[in-house]
Amino acid sequence: MKCLSSFLVLFFISGVGGFDLVIDDIPDEVENLIDLEIDGFPSSPKARNGRYQRSTSDWGYVGDLVEDDDKIGLYSYKVQSTITSRLANTMIQAKMVNNARRPQPIMFDVQVPKGAFIDNFTMDINGITFTSHIREKSEARKMYAQAKAKGKAAGIVRSNALDMENFQTEVNVPPGMRIQFQLHYHEMIRRKLSSYEHVISVKPGRLAKHMEVDVRIIEPQGLRYVHVPNSLGDHFNGITTISKGEKKAHVSFKPTMAQQRKCPTCSSTAVDGNFVVQYDVNRETTGGELEIFNGYFIHFFAPENLDPLPKNILFVIDVSGSMWGLKMKQTIEAMKAILSELRAADHFSLIDFNHNVRCWRDNLVSATPSQVEDAKKYIQSIHPNGGTNINEALLRATFILNEAKSLGMLDPNSVSMIVLVSDGDPTVGELKLTTIQKNVKQSIKDEFSLFCLGIGFDVDYDFLQRIATDNRGMAQRIFGNQETSLQMKNFYNQVSTPLLKKIQFNYPQESVSDVTQSSFHNYFGGSEIVVAGKVDTENLQHLESVVTATAANAELVMETLRDVEELDGFMKKDKYADPEFTRKLWAYLTVNQMMAERNAAPTAALKRNITKSILQMSLDHHIVTPFTAMLIENAEKDEIMLADQPKDPRKGCCPGTLGLTPNAPNNNKGIPSWANVTAVPVSFMPEQRSPPVSSVSINRVDNDPHFIIHLPKSQKNICFNINSEPGKILNLVSDPGTGVVVNGQLIGAKKAENKKLNTYFGKIGFYFKKKGLKVEITTETITLKDGSYAITLTWADTGHIIRKQLLISVKKESNVTITVGEEMSFMVLLHRVWKKHPVNVDFLGIYIPPENQFSPEAHGLIGQFASEPEVSIHHQTPGQAPEKPQAIMEVKGNKFTVTRGVQKDYRTDRVQGTDVLCWFVHNSGKGFIDGHYRDYLVPHLYSFMKKP
């Protein structure tokens, strides 16, 4: 599988079945389309030997497209969404063209709501359409293997479970070629805080000649209101139109190209955000609304005007070191506001945890004003540090609630719950997630609910979702930013008003089958419970439901009766209504329920049986789940791609690569000439800017010690090695202005190779003079020293140390990050080798962002480049090896020869490393660094250096 692609398509899909797609080699049909017109929009492709004469003539004339510098034109960006009784079917379509004279990537990037199911994805490349089909994984793999064995163009698509919220496609498009992307997904719109909210991501990325967002709502219950908040900004005031009838509504957003511009003369678009539609429906009966259509029923249950039940609530708050900074500040702010909203009838307590677990009160207390104020003071005094012991914290919370119940301290009509707030994985105590899930389940015993708030982008949200749904609760991801506090309060408001408990739905057994979950622990104000099932409409004229529940002051019995043909006329007359809405809603609810049941299955046999059921549902209803794969193929079925999930998406040459390999006699496997970027010898290639290896460029020193200096202004990477002796200490940063010193002590290999003894950093010291803190990192330990005080962690630990606004974060057997406020940060990477290796030893690497706020006095082998020197590289000539051209570098008044080469960045791949192109300075950096490298030798690990 090659890493260099003619066509590159990447998918990151939201929901239970995300996948990556990379098309590696161009199919014959698409290769035939290269001979196209360049100026304006291309004409129909010329056929070779009479094959494939296709076009998308409906696009019309596009000569007045507005293009960015990349000459990519967006002809149309269209979103169409139809909501039929809470089921939203959404289509997002983009039509684009590459009007440049060179091939270049075109991106289709949308956000798909969490929990949505992808229905279909198609690509139309100059009239050649690729569509998708769902298959069981083994069957899809077999079809793929057969296609490949027969010499047909075949490819493989890999799943990416790291980010399940973005659907992202990137295609490298030849000059003049047109491409259309079209994505379909459906979701159930859930009611929160007394409103249904339909959110559509609208981020075209550029001006569109035709821009349209079209939303239609069909609700047989009748519409109470429809509202479109100004979520895209004041720039678009007055552009959205709303037409509302008794049971239908139409929302339209069609900004002209002039209205899309950020400013009258701007070529960039202001359309960048979420388009939001909010509405609610009429409710006439407390028993809920029954909708029966095409052999299925849906029961929407949302009673109103009920008194809230008292609640017993335990807040369990993660205060480990990773919560340090803005996340903790926002959490404290949100918790103080939440505590203020507790009712007099409520009981509560607080638990905060890191590697230890602390209770504000060992038992539940009444939410009196004095207790609430005392709790706020306790919250305000929290200072995060240490590891994360989720297991013990949750078990302590369940113990408090179970003990209160056994002692008869809880109101029989009250509702008990735990709210967990955390930003990371367990690092202390029980670490196995399945064991924690089992422990919590056994301790809660279905007696109360667990709600989880996961803060940040790196939280294991899947785990929090599993333990929440396993215990009658729900989870929500809270992104760590300025709105964290508001997001937390909004989540709490969804569960803060329990109105009913012990809810049971009853239907006539002889007429109804395959009912989704029919019993519920609680009903919260402003929400809605939805039940679905199959119904025998041929032998039934009316369907009756009976709902029983416990309210604040009584046991309730609520009945609803509906004619099974009541909706037929209404639905069949509306051309926009989805005639399959009841079936799709039933399938949506059933699959989600089975996924939750599978996660909680106590035996492997039961889990296998549930898996089979999920698989069958996926195939019957065209739903992507972890147990299915998606075949993507053209109309002739001679180009097949497989959407599948790898065991480890981080391994391999190109994670998520898809190779289309047409029969071809040459070694390039059908890659056209314009894709062979290495056809020009590297030694004669013009000077190119060196791209940073990640989103944050880093100055680094690693391995034997190899220095890589990234110069942000000129976008160049300059490399040099330092050849010194074991035991010597090199100064990396010496900054009297900020009082910061970074030094590294060298160690030697076990023996010399080729008469040369390699050296590495075996110890790195940090001195923060103004704080009086020293940090010593070796290949065995990490130690913080503050005068006579010292604390040590080993590389076997994962944890945090905080002292005087300095944060040390240790990731087990991987790296240490030192953060000093918002001013600077450092990363030290651990390299482990086989202990019996005859030559190599364990060593350290250090990575320093150029954004660190050093003073003008900063110096050292790395620190001197805080003030970037002017560097000129010219007169490039072939080197002794074709891949290593030479050039002349001029810097600091010096002129010398440098060689193009490759060094390694080990941050993302600690074994193989990531290649970094750089210009290599010989003789230990002579001419590039100030003075001689011996000038940077210092006597002690915490010594400042004298400028050379």
Side-chain angles (χ1 to χ4, degrees):
M1 190 73 69
K2 296 179 289 298
C3 290
L4 178 65
S5 302
S6 305
F7 269 69
L8 179 66
V9 184
L10 301 171
F11 299 72
F12 303 88
I13 296 186
S14 173
V16 289
F19 59 91
D20 294 347
L21 167 61
V22 179
I23 304 180
D24 194 27
D25 287 326
I26 191 168
D28 286 336
E29 299 97 308
V30 179
E31 187 177 357
N32 293 338
L33 304 177
I34 296 174
D35 187 13
L36 304 175
E37 294 181 12
I38 302 299
D39 296 325
F41 208 83
S43 62
S44 298
K46 299 178 181 179
R48 292 183 184 176
N49 301 322
R51 294 178 64 206
Y52 301 109
Q53 288 189 333
R54 312 178 187 179
S55 66
T56 46
S57 58
D58 61 312
W59 286 24
Y61 176 72
V62 294
D64 59 344
L65 286 181
V66 172
E67 303 159 347
D68 291 337
D69 293 339
D70 56 12
K71 297 293 183 182
I72 292 174
L74 176 59
Y75 173 67
S76 170
Y77 194 90
K78 182 184 294 185
V79 179
Q80 291 180 339
S81 190
T82 301
I83 304 171
T84 308
S85 286
R86 285 67 145 187
L87 179 77
N89 290 289
T90 302
M91 182 276 291
I92 301 179
Q93 179 194 80
K95 297 180 179 180
M96 308 175 80
V97 60
N98 177 17
N99 278 332
R101 297 181 180 272
R102 67 185 188 282
Q104 57 182 337
I106 288 182
M107 178 78 72
F108 176 66
D109 188 358
V110 300
Q111 285 190 331
V112 179
K114 288 191 285 275
F117 287 130
I118 301 296
D119 292 325
N120 194 16
F121 174 74
T122 62
M123 287 190 305
D124 189 300
I125 307 173
N126 260 70
I128 300 175
T129 301
F130 291 83
T131 58
S132 58
H133 309 277
I134 302 297
R135 295 287 188 273
E136 189 271 332
K137 270 193 176 182
S138 60
E139 179 190 351
R141 288 171 176 169
K142 183 178 179 181
M143 293 177 68
Y144 164 72
Q146 289 173 346
K148 189 173 182 180
K150 292 178 181 179
K152 294 182 179 180
I156 188 163
V157 163
R158 296 296 188 184
S159 170
N160 185 331
L162 299 178
D163 184 355
M164 301 297 282
E165 296 164 7
N166 281 351
F167 184 102
Q168 188 179 86
T169 311
E170 183 176 346
V171 181
N172 199 31
V173 177
M177 182 172 283
R178 295 167 291 184
I179 187 165
Q180 174 180 299
F181 304 101
Q182 191 161 294
L183 173 70
H184 295 256
Y185 63 87
H186 71 265
E187 60 176 321
M188 190 179 81
I189 308 299
R190 298 188 179 274
R191 190 170 185 253
K192 299 177 182 178
L193 302 177
S194 302
S195 177
Y196 300 99
E197 185 172 84
H198 184 33
V199 180
I200 305 170
S201 175
V202 185
K203 298 182 178 182
R206 60 187 69 234
L207 294 172
K209 182 179 180 182
H210 299 286
M211 161 72 69
E212 177 182 0
V213 179
D214 191 89
V215 180
R216 294 185 182 273
I217 306 171
I218 300 102
E219 287 287 356
Q221 276 183 255
L223 290 166
R224 180 191 278 177
Y225 67 85
V226 177
H227 174 60
V228 180
N230 198 13
S231 55
L232 289 174
D234 296 338
H235 188 91
F236 299 104
N237 280 340
I239 297 178
T240 302
T241 62
I242 303 174
S243 302
K244 177 186 171 297
E246 181 184 353
K247 297 182 179 181
K248 304 176 187 179
H250 180 212
V251 176
S252 179
F253 175 71
K254 291 184 180 180
T256 64
M257 191 176 288
Q259 291 169 330
Q260 295 171 45
R261 296 180 190 271
K262 284 187 176 179
C263 67
T265 58
C266 292
S267 60
S268 55
T269 180
V271 182
D272 183 20
N274 292 330
F275 187 81
V276 179
V277 178
Q278 298 170 337
Y279 73 95
D280 201 8
V281 299
N282 299 321
R283 289 177 178 80
E284 298 179 356
T285 61
T286 57
E289 176 71 12
L290 276 173
E291 295 186 0
I292 307 153
F293 192 65
N294 279 355
Y296 295 85
F297 79 89
I298 309 294
H299 191 171
F300 300 106
F301 180 74
E304 298 177 324
N305 301 318
L306 297 171
D307 293 330
L309 296 167
K311 60 181 178 287
N312 314 300
I313 185 167
L314 264 166
F315 299 98
V316 181
I317 304 168
D318 183 348
V319 296
S320 60
S322 58
M323 287 286 288
W324 186 67
L326 182 61
K327 283 191 282 190
M328 195 72 251
K329 180 181 178 182
Q330 294 278 322
T331 299
I332 290 172
E333 180 184 332
M335 282 305 306
K336 289 164 71 174
I338 288 170
L339 289 170
S340 296
E341 295 177 6
L342 291 172
R343 300 182 182 89
D346 295 337
H347 289 75
F348 78 106
S349 190
L350 302 169
I351 292 176
D352 63 293
F353 71 97
N354 44 30
H355 49 284
N356 296 315
V357 177
R358 298 190 306 167
C359 297
W360 168 66
R361 296 284 188 271
D362 290 329
N363 56 291
L364 295 170
V365 299
S366 297
T368 62
S370 61
Q371 294 282 20
V372 167
E373 285 305 311
D374 193 54
K376 289 180 182 179
K377 292 177 182 178
Y378 179 82
I379 288 286
Q380 189 66 54
S381 67
I382 289 174
H383 297 288
N385 60 70
T388 308
N389 194 341
I390 292 178
N391 185 66
E392 186 178 340
L394 288 176
L395 293 184
R396 183 75 62 88
T398 58
F399 172 81
I400 291 174
L401 284 174
N402 284 325
E403 184 180 46
K405 182 182 178 183
S406 65
L407 295 175
M409 298 171 58
L410 304 183
D411 184 332
N413 285 337
S414 64
V415 170
S416 298
M417 65 183 75
I418 296 170
V419 176
L420 170 67
V421 180
S422 181
D423 77 329
D425 297 334
T427 62
V428 179
E430 180 57 62
L431 302 180
K432 193 174 181 181
L433 300 182
T434 53
T435 301
I436 297 174
Q437 184 179 346
K438 181 180 178 181
N439 291 344
V440 174
K441 176 71 173 176
Q442 290 178 345
S443 184
I444 287 181
K445 304 172 185 175
D446 289 335
E447 293 293 331
F448 38 88
S449 300
L450 172 62
F451 299 96
C452 297
L453 278 169
I455 299 180
F457 293 90
D458 54 352
V459 67
D460 191 338
Y461 179 69
D462 288 340
F463 166 65
L464 296 182
Q465 198 168 40
R466 285 199 305 273
I467 61 171
T469 54
D470 202 17
N471 294 285
R472 302 178 181 269
M474 62 180 180
Q476 182 167 320
R477 191 198 303 268
I478 302 294
F479 297 103
N481 54 32
Q482 295 293 337
E483 296 183 353
T484 296
S485 179
L486 178 62
Q487 294 177 70
M488 290 180 64
K489 287 184 282 189
N490 286 342
F491 177 81
Y492 171 75
N493 288 338
Q494 294 178 43
V495 301
S496 63
T497 312
L499 300 179
L500 296 173
K501 61 184 293 187
K502 298 180 181 178
I503 309 151
Q504 183 70 44
F505 291 81
N506 302 283
Y507 309 95
Q509 294 183 359
E510 66 278 6
S511 305
V512 169
S513 62
D514 296 328
V515 178
T516 58
Q517 186 173 347
S518 59
S519 62
F520 294 81
H521 198 55
N522 300 311
Y523 165 70
F524 296 95
S527 66
E528 182 175 65
I529 293 175
V530 183
V531 180
K534 298 179 180 178
V535 60
D536 182 6
T537 55
E538 293 184 2
N539 301 309
L540 189 70
Q541 291 185 335
H542 304 281
L543 178 63
E544 181 181 16
S545 72
V546 179
V547 184
T548 60
T550 300
N553 301 310
E555 296 294 320
L556 298 182
V557 178
M558 295 159 279
E559 299 180 2
T560 303
L561 184 68
R562 282 290 180 272
D563 188 325
V564 296
E565 297 181 355
E566 185 174 328
L567 277 183
D568 285 10
F570 174 76
M571 286 296 178
K572 291 176 181 178
K573 289 179 182 178
D574 195 299
K575 66 178 181 179
Y576 296 106
D578 184 354
E580 297 290 321
F581 83 95
T582 50
R583 178 188 63 80
K584 289 180 180 179
L585 275 172
W586 173 80
Y588 181 96
L589 292 168
T590 302
V591 169
N592 277 290
Q593 180 180 320
M594 288 193 294
M595 292 291 288
E597 290 173 354
R598 183 182 183 276
N599 288 334
T603 66
L606 179 57
K607 182 170 287 190
R608 282 194 298 270
N609 289 335
I610 297 174
T611 301
K612 291 178 182 178
S613 299
I614 296 173
L615 172 60
Q616 193 58 52
M617 284 287 295
S618 304
L619 299 176
D620 291 345
H621 299 275
H622 201 270
I623 295 173
V624 180
T625 68
F627 315 110
T628 55
M630 180 178 283
L631 283 176
I632 303 169
E633 54 191 357
N634 62 352
E636 289 77 13
K637 299 186 183 298
D638 57 1
E639 309 288 353
I640 297 179
M641 291 153 271
L642 171 65
D644 199 0
Q645 184 174 9
K647 292 181 180 179
D648 188 348
R650 295 166 295 181
K651 293 183 179 179
C653 160
C654 310
T657 346
L658 173 133
L660 283 178
T661 314
N663 292 326
N666 58 58
N667 294 328
N668 286 329
K669 302 292 184 182
I671 299 178
S673 58
W674 51 262
N676 291 319
V677 295
T678 56
V680 181
V682 174
S683 58
F684 293 102
M685 291 181 71
E687 163 69 1
Q688 296 179 342
R689 291 187 174 188
S690 304
V693 297
S694 72
S695 59
V696 179
S697 302
I698 297 286
N699 295 322
R700 59 195 77 89
V701 52
D702 216 328
N703 216 331
D704 177 22
H706 301 319
F707 288 76
I708 306 177
I709 304 299
H710 177 72
L711 303 176
K713 293 180 182 178
S714 59
Q715 286 295 292
K716 290 181 174 67
N717 291 323
I718 311 299
C719 304
F720 59 91
N721 295 345
I722 296 295
N723 299 309
S724 190
E725 304 169 9
K728 298 293 185 180
I729 300 174
L730 292 171
N731 175 257
L732 307 179
V733 178
S734 180
D735 186 5
T738 60
V740 174
V741 168
V742 184
N743 294 324
Q745 186 170 27
L746 298 173
I747 56 173
K750 294 176 182 177
K751 64 179 182 179
E753 285 187 313
N754 299 322
K755 298 181 180 181
K756 178 180 181 293
L757 182 68
N758 289 332
T759 55
Y760 311 88
F761 282 129
K763 184 185 295 184
I764 295 176
F766 298 83
Y767 179 31
F768 302 95
K769 184 177 180 181
K770 293 183 179 181
K771 295 179 180 291
L773 299 177
K774 296 176 181 178
V775 180
E776 179 182 301
I777 301 176
T778 71
T779 56
E780 301 299 328
T781 60
I782 303 96
T783 302
L784 171 70
K785 303 175 183 177
D786 184 1
S788 60
Y789 169 86
I791 182 170
T792 299
L793 295 175
T794 72
W795 283 103
D797 298 320
T798 293
H800 309 271
I801 304 172
I802 298 177
R803 195 166 182 88
K804 297 180 179 179
Q805 298 299 303
L806 183 140
L807 169 65
I808 302 174
S809 300
V810 182
K811 188 174 182 181
K812 181 179 179 180
E813 296 295 330
S814 178
N815 62 69
V816 174
T817 302
I818 300 175
T819 307
V820 188
E822 298 180 357
E823 292 78 39
M824 58 186 70
S825 64
F826 308 86
M827 175 185 283
V828 176
L829 208 65
L830 173 68
H831 295 272
R832 289 281 192 222
V833 301
W834 180 42
K835 290 185 178 181
K836 296 183 181 180
H837 195 284
V839 178
N840 295 340
V841 293
D842 295 345
F843 64 95
L844 304 172
I846 182 169
Y847 295 73
I848 304 176
E851 293 81 9
N852 277 0
Q853 298 175 24
F854 296 121
S855 78
E857 301 176 63
H859 211 267
L861 286 168
I862 293 177
Q864 63 186 286
F865 299 104
S867 299
E868 181 175 330
E870 290 188 11
V871 175
S872 173
I873 298 176
H874 52 83
H875 289 86
Q876 184 175 322
T877 58
Q880 293 181 349
E883 71 276 10
K884 294 183 178 180
Q886 294 184 335
I888 300 298
M889 175 185 285
E890 292 188 55
V891 59
K892 302 178 180 178
N894 301 316
K895 183 187 293 187
F896 46 88
T897 300
V898 292
T899 304
R900 191 70 161 169
V902 174
Q903 295 284 20
K904 295 287 188 180
D905 183 313
Y906 291 94
R907 283 174 299 152
T908 55
D909 186 341
R910 290 192 299 134
V911 179
Q912 301 295 332
T914 303
D915 287 344
V916 179
L917 284 173
C918 63
W919 288 105
F920 185 79
V921 181
H922 303 273
N923 300 320
S924 296
K926 184 178 180 181
F928 180 63
I929 62 173
D930 293 336
H932 193 277
Y933 88 85
R934 293 191 186 92
D935 298 326
Y936 298 86
L937 296 175
V938 293
H940 304 292
L941 195 61
Y942 306 110
S943 298
F944 284 86
M945 69 161 286
K946 296 180 180 179
K947 284 190 178 182

